[in-house]
Amino acid sequence: MSGTSWDGALGKLGFGAAGIGNLYRAMPDAQAAATVKAAWDSGVRYFDTAPHYGLGLSERRLGAVLREMPRSEFTVSTKVGRLLVPNAVGFSAKDDEGFDVAATSKRQWDFSEAGIRRSIEESLERLGLDHVDIAYLHDPDVHNLAKGIGEALPVLEKLRADGVVKAIGVGTNSAEAALECVEAADLDLVMLAGRYTLLEQPGVPFLDRCVARGTGVVNVGVFNSGLLARPDVPEDSHYNYARAPRALVERARALAGVCRGFGVELPTAALQFSLRHPAVVNVTVGASSPEQVSANAARMNEDVPEELWAALAGVRGD
């Protein structure tokens, strides 16, 4: 299936499962299950996870809910490139990569064919599913972009040809790395984090190239780590996983003010803007409660006046 064939196939809104892997803070199993169910009840049918998220906890929790749903009615993606291996410190330490879980396992980079096949098999075990639809190479630029392009992407192309997965892609925070991968391989999708948002659009040249190549883009990180997530932007907002610089807080507040003048809240505009480029086939957002899921779904379906986008472009200086 080519990238352009995914346009509409994933729905406008997807569910990102990092939060239910205890990203930043722990949550009970029941809350995680209720959050996934709320996504389903809101009409979401695309779910993304990864071994990295909570050292497998996200996959286990997501699978526990999805196994109760008709398999033909949803699409699930996971990621390869990081294997989970036993950690000698066991329960005596916490994970040091942002997830509130015991470090019973540790991540090990592996872009080899054996490693990628093992990663998918172990993800299926945690999910309790017989297949995943999409496999993304996770953060190749963080580990070794050249090795990701030269070694891992050909493996993913082989797995797609063999019918192990329906589609392949790359997940990254870097538009530049994503562009190198799109030029080097026949990718169906790219999951791009935080590089095409209402606040900033450095990923536009990459997105334009995806249109030409027929590669679909799943847009994530569209709230820029929370800076655009609330109608009123607080001083302690985060951007790129850290405290937001003053200049960006002020820019976000200016955007919020323009939105307010059109009767639209900033998070609503942030969500809907992120779907406007023709390369973008889906916007996937995380949530840590059923209420957040329901709010995101409602925002995606709100009526937004077309004139707002031109007004916001003026604020940004486009």
Side-chain angles (χ1 to χ4, degrees):
M1 183 179 289
S2 68
T4 52
S5 298
W6 288 93
D7 193 7
L10 302 178
K12 292 190 296 184
L13 186 65
F15 178 82
I20 65 168
N22 287 2
L23 179 63
Y24 303 134
R25 63 188 66 85
M27 71 167 66
D29 288 341
Q31 181 179 337
T35 303
V36 178
K37 289 174 182 175
W40 184 275
D41 291 342
S42 297
V44 171
R45 294 296 182 268
Y46 172 49
F47 300 85
D48 175 70
T49 184
H52 173 58
Y53 303 156
L55 295 171
L57 179 62
S58 171
E59 290 181 318
R60 290 192 293 272
R61 283 175 162 173
L62 181 64
V65 176
L66 292 184
R67 287 196 300 272
E68 304 301 317
M69 308 304 181
R71 184 63 186 90
S72 62
E73 293 186 14
F74 64 86
T75 299
V76 63
S77 58
T78 192
K79 303 182 182 74
V80 301
R82 290 178 174 94
L83 288 172
L84 301 182
V85 299
N87 191 357
V89 300
F91 287 94
S92 65
K94 288 282 190 179
D95 177 53
D96 61 359
E97 294 199 30
F99 296 89
D100 189 356
V101 295
T104 53
S105 300
K106 60 183 178 180
R107 301 163 184 86
Q108 177 178 287
W109 291 104
D110 194 328
F111 284 3
S112 70
E113 179 169 356
I116 288 173
R117 288 184 179 274
R118 174 182 161 188
S119 182
I120 291 176
E121 289 169 1
E122 292 179 352
S123 288
L124 292 176
E125 290 178 9
R126 288 187 289 266
L127 286 161
L129 300 175
D130 64 356
H131 71 280
V132 293
D133 302 283
I134 305 163
Y136 296 108
L137 179 63
H138 205 179
D139 295 330
D141 52 308
V142 174
H143 175 50
N144 186 321
L145 183 58
K147 194 171 184 179
I149 290 172
E151 184 174 355
L153 293 185
V155 172
L156 287 178
E157 289 178 318
K158 181 178 179 181
L159 293 180
R160 180 182 55 193
D162 291 344
V164 176
V165 293
K166 295 178 183 177
I168 62 169
V170 168
T172 177
N173 294 280
S174 167
E176 294 77 17
L179 180 58
E180 287 193 51
C181 292
V182 165
E183 297 289 10
D186 179 21
L187 302 183
D188 300 287
L189 297 162
V190 171
M191 180 169 278
L192 183 67
R195 302 284 75 84
Y196 180 71
T197 75
L198 186 63
L199 186 74
E200 55 178 331
Q201 300 87 45
V204 168
F206 158 72
L207 294 177
D208 291 344
R209 184 59 180 150
C210 284
V211 173
R213 293 275 293 175
T215 303
V217 174
V218 175
N219 200 2
V220 300
V222 300
F223 292 135
N224 287 109
S225 295
L227 184 57
L228 306 181
R230 286 168 281 193
D232 299 303
V233 182
E235 285 290 335
D236 62 350
S237 293
H238 282 72
Y239 167 81
N240 273 8
Y241 311 107
R243 182 74 176 261
R246 178 72 187 181
L248 290 185
V249 171
E250 292 303 321
R251 188 190 307 171
R253 286 176 171 170
L255 294 170
V258 173
C259 291
R260 204 172 295 118
F262 285 83
V264 176
E265 292 188 338
L266 178 63
T268 299
L271 270 177
Q272 294 201 24
F273 175 86
S274 303
L275 194 63
R276 287 177 63 82
H277 193 283
V280 178
V281 298
N282 173 275
V283 173
T284 286
V285 294
S288 57
S289 71
E291 293 76 19
Q292 286 182 1
V293 170
S294 299
N296 288 334
R299 291 186 186 283
M300 185 61 90
N301 291 316
E302 281 184 31
D303 289 328
V304 173
E306 191 66 25
E307 295 79 11
L308 172 62
W309 306 120
L312 288 168
V315 172
R316 293 195 311 269
D318 292 6

